[in-house]
Amino acid sequence: MAGLEFEGKTVKDAIENACSKLNISQRELKYDIISNGSTGIFGFVGVKKAKIRVYYHKKPESSSKRNEHQGTSDSFSSGIDPREVISLVDEAFSDLREETLLQKDTREEKKQKSQPKKQTHFTSADQDKDESIDSKALPAPTEKEVKSVDIKDDTSLESESFEEEKPSASETFLTDEMVDNCADLGLTALKKILEYLTDDVQITLEKTHDKLLFRIEGGNSSMLIGKRGQNLEAIQYIIDKIVNKNITKHIRVQVDVAGYTEKRKENLIKMAERLAQKTKRTGKPSTVGPMNAQDRRIIHITLKNFRGVRTQSIGEGYYRKLMIFPKQANRKKTPSDVTESENTSI
Amino acid sequence: MKNLIEYIVKALVDNPDQVEISVIEGKETMVLELKVAKEDIGKVIGKQGRNAKALRTILDAVSAKARKRSVLEIIE
């Protein structure tokens, strides 16, 4: 019985190696695993070969083979370094070994193919990080990046639609006659509602081809505005509905009480800028509570050109809220920063 | 108050002649029961209940002036 060490990329390979060298079947082979070996990262960093020690029993075999094996076992018994023998055997079976190695290589290549694929996907999503990130961190950032790209598109679309509201409406604007009709309708409805709420009000009307603005002065303005502007919002909404009921094109209706909407707009812009600074400083997204579409629009537009943050509306209906995110590419100043700004401007 | 709601609802629906409002007066509260044509219910309630919410807000504001509480019920 002799101990002989064999190496291979995996234990299985080492066994095959041993069998081919000793010319016996795998069933006959008795061995201990010395080390399992590892393929390392991507098969080129920290590769360890698997080692096995084979215990080989001499068997009565055909004479020629027996002689051959006799020789090898003799050399062991006479205390010659087993590595030399291995090299000898290697030489003898070099062709065979090369073949098995080739097979292994193709297998290894197949394994690696799947990983580089991921990498290319990753690089297409984000150019500046791919070199410094190790293999484990790969999948998560990829998903994130893809998501954020989607989100970015959404926001840009949203803010775009806000901006394009006016030009698109001007292309298909209502005739003056229709605007006048709408204005009359809105004015009578507004008067009707207001007479129940407060006395002595003056209503002035400003009309453009796509917007009606009713300014209300005097009277009990706190009653008209209500808590957090909810009465004003409700009145505006109802008037909007009444005015837009019988026309195909949409005309915007705005009701303002004693400059309230202007003040609110200023407050919102201040708040938006404050939150954006905070988000930029802390790197954490911040949320602006549920509010109506007009208010969200103001914040979106305010922060559109604010460097280092992006905005998005999340949720449905009444619970829809606006979130301010830090821009991820801003952490590093790289060429991707340029592409980022291009994305938002598109 | 009833007139106001009636006016607004009639302006919103397709069949104004089928709008019916009955008022149940209580000591401190007042319940307005609103009946409209079947196909107009959606218009009164609105998307995500926005129309109904706006109506109720206006009703609240108006009834606050009269120092009362009002409830708007939309009946199928």
Side-chain angles (χ1 to χ4, degrees), chain A residues 166-182:
Chain A
K166 277 177 189 174
S168 67
S170 66
E171 280 168 18
T172 56
F173 60 86
L174 299 155
T175 57
D176 287 349
E177 200 185 335
M178 281 166 87
V179 173
D180 283 344
N181 277 340
C182 289

Side-chain angles (χ1 to χ4, degrees), chain A residues 202-334:
Chain A
Q202 292 92 45
I203 302 168
T204 50
L205 170 67
E206 283 175 28
K207 50 189 173 188
T208 53
H209 49 78
D210 65 331
K211 189 178 166 188
L212 296 174
L213 173 59
F214 299 98
R215 287 184 196 278
I216 305 167
E217 293 289 337
N220 188 353
S221 59
S222 66
M223 178 77 93
L224 291 173
I225 294 165
K227 189 176 152 194
R228 286 178 183 251
Q230 62 175 1
N231 293 2
L232 185 61
E233 204 180 298
I235 292 168
Q236 183 177 303
Y237 181 76
I238 289 289
I239 303 290
D240 191 302
K241 281 283 160 199
I242 292 169
V243 167
N244 285 299
K245 190 177 171 285
N246 292 320
I247 55 173
T248 48
K249 303 278 183 294
H250 190 267
I251 185 163
R252 268 174 68 195
V253 175
Q254 205 175 357
V255 182
D256 187 14
V257 178
Y260 175 80
T261 46
E262 278 300 311
K263 269 184 210 162
R264 179 149 178 81
K265 197 177 172 182
E266 277 171 30
N267 283 338
L268 280 169
I269 288 171
K270 270 185 203 165
M271 187 184 73
E273 280 169 353
R274 207 180 59 231
L275 280 170
Q277 291 286 0
K278 191 182 153 201
T279 307
K280 214 176 161 184
R281 206 176 58 235
T282 58
K284 285 173 188 165
S286 43
T287 317
V288 185
M291 54 173 67
N292 62 27
Q294 288 85 9
D295 292 358
R296 277 201 305 273
R297 175 175 180 260
I298 290 168
I299 293 178
H300 276 304
I301 288 171
T302 309
L303 297 181
K304 194 171 170 281
N305 294 318
F306 196 97
R307 284 189 67 83
V309 294
R310 60 188 175 78
T311 55
Q312 205 214 342
S313 299
I314 288 172
E316 275 302 311
Y318 182 64
Y319 297 102
R320 196 163 168 84
K321 61 188 178 184
L322 193 147
M323 289 193 87
I324 303 170
F325 293 102
K327 238 179 218 171
Q328 277 157 3
N330 220 49
R331 279 183 289 185
K332 284 184 195 171
K333 299 238 164 170
T334 49

